[in-house]
Amino acid sequence: MFTLYSYNGRDAKALRRQYAEVIRKEFYEGELLLDASDSFDVSIEKAIGHPISLVRVLTRSGISFRRSWAHIRSNQIGVRVIWFVRKGRLQIVRSQKSYEVSPNEWCILDSSMPFFAHAPPEEHGAFDAIQAIVPAQVFLSHLPGITELNRAFPIAVGGQKTISKYLDLLFGEGERLSRSAAEPLATAFLKVISDSLSNLVAELRRRKRLVDQRFEDIEACVAGNLTDPDLD
């Protein structure tokens, strides 16, 4: 991996300007916001750039990033961002739903829709997360039918441990991998995510069907006893 950007100082204006330039060049346009602080310590590292990019965001200062409709109209880049949080908590605000991603959890964001993301560091610590930046056509070819799902998923339990292992391999060794070596590993990484999501979505649908059946049972019970004269 190599450092894309690093800042340690007190000049919030310079940090916002420089960070925005890096983000616009590497990912997409948006607005950086900073929590009140006497000093700022932020770094961005990158491992691989094809067919996906892996980027690590490490900050000991609270930062937020907003991508609005205005940013989207002027910078129509269709990528999916898969966040893997290691330290701290990532707070996501969308029009559909707001949620939080805790350490050892992950989520998916679509850059073609507005979002607000806040990354406060742990108390007396840091916020540390890896982003997989996946071009839309690559995402759709490997994860067809998968949307953002507007929730966080665990990364360190059951079969999802494989995701963590691939992530460590790609990010830790990505700089030393040739393009031909990185591509099949990245493809396998996306396949593991796809399989994991498919299992999770199937489980969510099963639970929903079970809940729906319970409601139907309750409604039938109520309807069958409404005329009972012994009810008070």
Side-chain angles (χ1 to χ4, degrees), residues 12 16 33-40 61-64 116 118-121:
R16 283 195 298 268
L33 304 170
L34 303 171
D35 291 0
S37 178
D38 293 332
S39 62
F40 305 96
S61 319
I63 62 174
S64 301
F116 176 83
H118 181 218

Side-chain angles (χ1 to χ4, degrees), residues 18-39:
Q18 295 165 8
Y19 189 97
E21 290 173 358
V22 172
I23 294 298
R24 187 182 303 111
K25 179 181 178 181
E26 292 289 333
F27 316 122
Y28 40 70
E29 189 172 329
E31 178 186 8
L32 177 70
L33 304 170
L34 303 171
D35 291 0
S37 178
D38 293 332
S39 62

Side-chain angles (χ1 to χ4, degrees), residues 53-171:
S53 296
L54 284 181
V55 176
R56 180 189 184 195
V57 177
L58 178 63
T59 176
R60 290 176 174 80
S61 319
I63 62 174
S64 301
F65 191 80
R66 176 187 292 120
R67 183 162 165 82
S68 66
W69 280 119
H71 296 124
I72 293 167
R73 284 191 291 269
S74 65
N75 182 235
Q76 297 181 10
I77 297 177
V79 299
R80 304 295 192 274
V81 183
I82 310 177
W83 280 87
F84 301 90
V85 176
R86 295 186 162 186
K87 294 181 180 178
R89 296 179 184 275
L90 179 66
Q91 298 160 358
I92 304 292
V93 179
R94 306 303 303 264
S95 60
Q96 306 96 327
K97 184 180 179 182
S98 299
Y99 58 97
E100 186 174 82
V101 190
S102 301
N104 295 317
E105 291 185 337
W106 57 287
C107 69
I108 301 174
L109 285 177
D110 182 350
S111 70
S112 65
M113 298 295 291
F115 67 86
F116 176 83
H118 181 218
E122 294 180 339
E123 188 175 2
H124 308 302
F127 173 84
D128 186 358
I130 295 178
Q131 300 177 53
I133 314 297
V134 187
Q137 68 275 14
V138 175
F139 186 92
L140 294 174
S141 65
H142 291 91
L143 291 92
I146 298 296
T147 62
E148 297 172 79
L149 300 174
N150 289 315
R151 56 161 291 177
F153 298 96
I155 189 176
V157 296
Q160 303 234 74
K161 290 181 180 179
T162 308
I163 296 177
S164 185
K165 291 178 180 178
Y166 267 106
L167 192 63
D168 290 340
L169 174 62
L170 285 167
F171 195 81

